[in-house]
Every structure is written in structure tokens, then in C-alpha cells.
Amino acid sequence: MKKDERIEELVRELIERVAGSVGLIIWDMKPKEELTDEEMSIILGIEINEVRRALFALYELGLAEYRRKRDEDTGWIEYYWKIRYDRQKDVLRRELEKVKKKLEEKVKYESENIHYICENGCVKVRYEEAMELNFTCPRCGGNLEYLDVTNAIKKVEDEIKKIDELLAEL
């Protein structure tokens, strides 16, 4: 897969996760000029509240912007929306860096702590708490057993490497 295709695919996944299928439809619409939420609703045949929800989600991501203008006839404020395709790499970079930071924090936490887990999967606790509980699950009374997180840490580290590769492409 080409670099630009991969970036586009990742941006689309991000939009779908944050703004839903309506956000993706708006993104794919590729409007050339500003449109009101009402105009988009009519063009797309989608309820205006769904369009507004998706537009504000795109705005929160940084992929849409708006300006407000009072309608001289009705006195209502209209929102004129512009989709910012030029920001997709910056937005993707920011979101990948956020995920990477969270994953790094998870690796650090898991590496610095010893955990025990209920044999029935009820709870996961740190060693100190397991000792206080006499290695007995507070929910079901089952045994708390040592949890080896080596494989989990390796998987998270692999994900961090993938993110680093994606960031290098941007």
C-alpha cells in the first residue's frame, strides 16, 4: 500500500471512530466551498442533528472549521462549515502521538509493578493489594495468581514500534 493511501486509510479510521459513519460521509463529500449544516443535510439526505453531531466531532479533531453568520431574514445564526483536508496529516500525527504516549505509560506501569489476577478473571491487583487480601479475590473468593505480563508488554512495545513507523511516514 502506498504511503498516501495508508495515511488516508488511517484518517478515515480516525474519523469513523470519532465522528461515525456520518462524519465519514461528510469527509468523502469533499465540498469545494463552505456549506451550512442545513445544506449538507439536504444534499446528503441525513437528519440535520446527525450532520451537526458529525461536524462538531470533525471540528473537535481539527478537521473542520466554521464561521457563524446571522441570517438577515430570520435572525437565526447559521454555521458555514469548511472541511480542512489540509490538516489531515497534522491531526493524524497528533492522535498517533497521544496513543503512543498512553502505550508508553502502560508499559512503564506494567514493568514497574507486579500483578496478581483472580483465577476466575474477576480482578487484577498489584502485589501489595494481593497481600492485604491474603491472595483471595474480594469478589468471588477465588485464588489470586501471579500474572506474567511479559507477553502483554511485548505486544504493546510492538504497537509503539508500528506507531513510530507511521509517524516516520508523516
Side-chain angles (χ1 to χ4, degrees):
M1 183 180 296
K2 293 180 183 174
K3 177 180 161 183
D4 290 340
E5 290 173 356
R6 180 70 178 138
I7 290 169
E8 178 68 22
E9 179 186 320
L10 291 169
V11 169
R12 291 176 58 78
E13 287 175 18
L14 176 63
I15 290 169
E16 188 166 23
R17 184 172 46 86
V18 174
S21 59
V22 175
L24 209 47
I25 291 168
I26 292 169
W27 181 259
D28 289 341
M29 185 178 155
K30 300 205 185 303
K32 301 288 185 234
E33 71 249 354
E34 292 179 321
L35 293 172
T36 66
D37 45 12
E38 188 174 356
E39 289 169 329
M40 283 188 202
S41 172
I42 292 167
I43 290 167
L44 298 171
I46 298 172
E47 290 290 323
I48 193 163
N49 286 336
E50 291 181 54
V51 169
R52 286 179 178 152
R53 204 172 3 260
L55 284 168
F56 277 107
L58 290 171
Y59 171 79
E60 289 293 318
L61 269 177
L63 293 173
E65 63 185 21
Y66 64 87
R67 68 179 176 85
R68 295 184 303 194
K69 182 180 174 188
R70 187 174 299 277
D71 184 294
E72 294 174 9
D73 296 331
T74 63
W76 291 76
I77 294 178
E78 292 182 312
Y79 287 80
Y80 288 83
W81 290 90
K82 181 178 180 182
I83 306 303
R84 297 298 307 262
Y85 298 96
D86 58 321
R87 292 183 183 165
Q88 65 183 350
K89 284 184 181 180
D90 292 333
V91 167
L92 185 57
R93 180 179 287 108
R94 184 190 68 225
E95 294 299 315
L96 285 170
E97 287 171 351
K98 276 197 270 186
V99 170
K100 179 183 172 183
K101 183 179 181 199
K102 286 180 182 176
L103 291 175
E104 288 171 337
E105 289 169 359
K106 182 169 183 61
V107 166
K108 184 178 189 299
Y109 175 78
E110 294 294 339
S111 298
E112 293 175 351
N113 292 283
I114 297 171
H115 290 95
Y116 282 75
I117 190 164
C118 171
E119 63 189 353
N120 299 313
C122 299
V123 295
K124 173 183 168 184
V125 296
R126 290 191 3 229
Y127 173 73
E128 296 80 8
E129 189 176 352
M131 279 185 48
E132 289 173 13
L133 295 168
N134 290 323
F135 297 92
T136 303
C137 178
R139 292 196 184 148
C140 74
N143 291 325
L144 294 177
E145 300 172 344
Y146 172 74
L147 177 62
D148 183 3
V149 294
T150 308
N151 289 337
I153 289 173
K154 173 77 173 102
K155 286 180 183 177
V156 173
E157 288 172 339
D158 289 346
E159 285 300 312
I160 292 170
K161 284 179 188 170
K162 287 179 188 174
I163 290 172
D164 283 337
E165 290 169 7
L166 291 169
L167 287 169
E169 287 183 31
L170 295 174

